[in-house]
Amino acid sequence: ASEIITQNSFRNEVEFYPILMSFRELKDSNFNLENTIEQYFLKDWNKNLSIDHKTILKQGNCCLFVDALDELAIDKDKEKAIDAINDFHSRYNRIKIICSSRHSDFLFYNCEDVGFKYLEINPLKRSQVESFVSSYFSTEDIKCKRLLKSLKDTGILNKLPSTPMTIALVTILFDENEIE
């Protein structure tokens, strides 16, 4: 979304809009994506822009980011949400739609059936964490060893998501503050 906004500064003729919403908002609009988008542009921080959402949809000048499918507790609601996304995509097939969720068996078993691409961020292995930290502190061997020892001794990686983002943040915080 941030990149889309940055790219708008290079475009002369057409604005391209990132539209961020949650699956809960979609449910609150009775699983009608057009209504959810209309409500998005009527929010306080968008109201004064006087953006015609129908024109944006017709021209395909947007990208939808729909987050938190896992926050819909009932599988039937998840099915309705995915059906609403599919229905919208069949009518506006030039618009890219990116949906995100925490890990969900429902997604794993249903994405392929409806034609969604399913990508998953897998946890890093210990060797990958060590490789990243070693690379980050390539000229500071003592810092590298201190952080790796601290990670091992505290077991912090067992308590946090072991994703590249988490490891990068922990490493940067340690580098700046040297707090174990």
Side-chain angles (χ1 to χ4, degrees):
S2 177
E3 181 63 25
I4 289 170
I5 292 168
T6 301
Q7 291 297 320
N8 277 338
S9 64
F10 301 119
R11 292 186 188 98
N12 293 325
E13 300 162 11
V14 176
E15 290 287 308
F16 197 81
Y17 299 91
I19 301 174
L20 292 83
M21 65 182 66
S22 70
F23 277 99
R24 178 150 325 274
E25 290 169 309
L26 180 59
K27 179 183 177 187
D28 292 345
S29 292
N30 200 28
F31 300 100
N32 184 312
L33 206 44
E34 287 92 343
N35 288 346
T36 310
I37 293 168
E38 180 180 13
Q39 291 306 309
Y40 173 83
F41 285 110
L42 292 175
K43 290 182 180 177
D44 288 340
W45 48 274
N46 269 335
K47 236 185 244 183
N48 295 333
L49 297 176
S50 300
I51 296 171
D52 180 13
H53 75 282
K54 290 180 182 178
T55 301
I56 292 169
L57 293 178
K58 183 179 173 185
Q59 294 174 346
N61 294 344
C62 64
C63 180
L64 300 180
F65 296 89
V66 191
D67 187 32
L69 180 65
D70 57 293
E71 292 179 9
L72 296 179
I74 302 168
D75 282 350
K76 194 72 173 162
D77 286 345
K78 292 176 186 173
E79 289 172 16
K80 288 178 183 176
I82 288 175
D83 288 343
I85 297 287
N86 271 334
D87 180 53
F88 180 87
H89 183 65
S90 69
R91 286 179 283 125
Y92 302 99
N93 60 5
R94 291 181 25 222
I95 296 175
K96 184 172 211 122
I97 305 169
I98 300 170
C99 301
S100 59
S101 177
R102 290 180 186 92
H103 178 73
S104 163
D105 287 340
F106 178 86
L107 280 176
F108 180 75
Y109 291 110
N110 291 289
C111 280
E112 192 174 307
D113 292 342
V114 293
F116 283 21
K117 290 182 185 174
Y118 179 85
L119 305 172
E120 188 173 342
I121 298 175
N122 292 318
L124 294 173
K125 298 175 186 165
R126 181 105 185 135
S127 61
Q128 292 171 310
V129 172
E130 290 173 2
S131 176
F132 175 82
V133 172
S134 296
S135 177
Y136 185 92
F137 291 116
S138 62
T139 60
E140 300 175 84
D141 195 44
I142 292 174
K143 264 190 179 180
C144 174
K145 288 180 182 178
R146 278 184 49 215
L147 177 56
L148 289 173
K149 182 176 181 347
S150 178
L151 291 173
K152 184 178 179 185
D153 291 350
T154 62
I156 193 75
L157 294 181
N158 297 332
K159 300 171 190 160
L160 294 173
S162 188
T163 63
M165 179 65 78
T166 303
I167 303 308
L169 289 172
V170 167
T171 304
I172 291 167
L173 289 171
F174 177 80
D175 188 25
E176 290 179 358
N177 303 317
E178 293 196 41
I179 297 173
E180 296 180 27

